[in-house]
Amino acid sequence: MEILNLIKERRSIRKYKPIPVTNEQLNQVLESARWAPSWANTQCVKFIVIKDPDMKEKLQNTLTPRNPSREAMIQAPIVIVACAETNKAGYKEGKPTTDKNEWFMFDTALALQNLTLTAHSLGLGTVHIGAFDAKMAGSLLEIPEGIVVVELIPLGHPDITPSPTPRKELKEIVFNEKYGKR
Ligand SMILES: Cc1cc2nc3c(=O)[nH]c(=O)nc-3n(C[C@H](O)[C@H](O)[C@H](O)COP(=O)(O)O)c2cc1C
């Protein structure tokens, strides 16, 4: 599939069919995340693959009460938990290199963009879940010190074809030469 079409056609999938994801599909999706660029190639992003229905249910309870992806956490055969080491991206010899301390979020996003687009190219659905109690999820998953849970991503066969979601026009978000100059 052509890259721009792939990007435009990917949608958040919040309803899944009870069909398993094969190991080969899972590996391809994770492999694409592995090849994402990262700060000084420090590769701070880690993944936990959850298939156990009990753990999916426990993780579901970490979502905000009205999170529209609550059902997806149970329906999807797999939930990928994206974690990151917090003191690598943007750090040199233990000190931040820039005024932004959270480059790990950036590296995680790059990996997850690869992951979600690859899933879509295989006919699989995903949804980014950021509105949840990451500390609670971290303790359920026995995350060690220095690692945080960034996102939960259900992965499975879509049981819905959502309508396109709107985007701002280029003229609203692109300036010329200086901020605000059209
Ligand atoms: C960082 C991030 C966090 C998100 N968190 C949630 C979430 O907690 N629950 C949810 O249902 N969708 C979540 N979304 C999905 C967005 O609502 C969705 O991407 C957006 O509305 C655009 O729709 P689309 O993905 O179908 O294009 C999140 C997306 C991003 C990028």
Side-chain angles (χ1 to χ4, degrees):
M1 205 188 287
E2 205 244 316
I3 186 82
L4 189 56
N5 284 342
L6 193 71
I7 290 168
K8 286 185 175 181
E9 286 174 10
R10 181 216 51 84
R11 291 278 74 75
S12 293
I13 300 298
R14 300 182 176 90
K15 225 170 168 312
Y16 292 90
K17 290 182 181 153
I19 300 175
V21 168
T22 65
N23 284 340
E24 196 193 335
Q25 288 171 322
L26 176 62
N27 281 341
Q28 282 188 64
V29 162
L30 292 170
E31 183 69 1
S32 74
R34 183 169 83 90
W35 279 97
S38 66
W39 182 285
N41 207 20
T42 43
Q43 305 173 62
C44 71
V45 189
K46 317 282 172 201
F47 302 96
I48 307 175
V49 176
I50 311 288
K51 295 180 181 170
D52 174 21
D54 286 347
M55 183 55 88
K56 285 197 284 170
E57 201 178 316
K58 283 181 184 145
L59 288 172
Q60 184 198 41
N61 290 328
T62 70
L63 268 59
T64 47
R66 285 158 64 180
N67 197 308
S69 290
R70 286 186 74 88
E71 284 308 307
M73 286 291 296
I74 303 298
Q75 285 177 353
I78 291 178
V79 173
I80 295 174
V81 182
C83 310
E85 292 172 87
T86 53
N87 62 352
K88 284 212 161 159
Y91 283 77
K92 198 171 183 190
E93 287 153 16
K95 293 203 179 89
T97 318
T98 69
D99 60 354
K100 296 178 196 70
N101 294 336
E102 304 216 322
W103 285 106
F104 71 87
M105 296 291 278
F106 195 92
D107 286 0
T108 308
L110 290 171
L112 294 184
Q113 177 76 340
N114 282 9
L115 185 150
T116 55
L117 289 176
T118 301
H120 180 53
S121 77
L122 298 173
L124 298 172
T126 55
V127 56
H128 291 277
I129 301 182
F132 67 104
D133 186 331
K135 285 216 172 90
M136 199 192 287
S139 106
L140 286 167
L141 298 163
E142 301 178 11
I143 303 283
E145 189 84 2
I147 313 268
V148 290
V149 179
V150 179
E151 270 204 1
L152 310 173
I153 306 102
L155 171 72
H157 292 264
D159 196 16
I160 188 169
T161 309
S163 311
T165 46
R167 294 295 187 271
K168 290 178 183 172
E169 295 298 330
L170 274 184
K171 63 179 191 291
E172 296 177 77
I173 59 170
V174 179
F175 306 129
N176 289 305
E177 311 299 346
K178 283 197 175 171
Y179 193 91
K181 194 162 171 242
R182 309 268 177 205

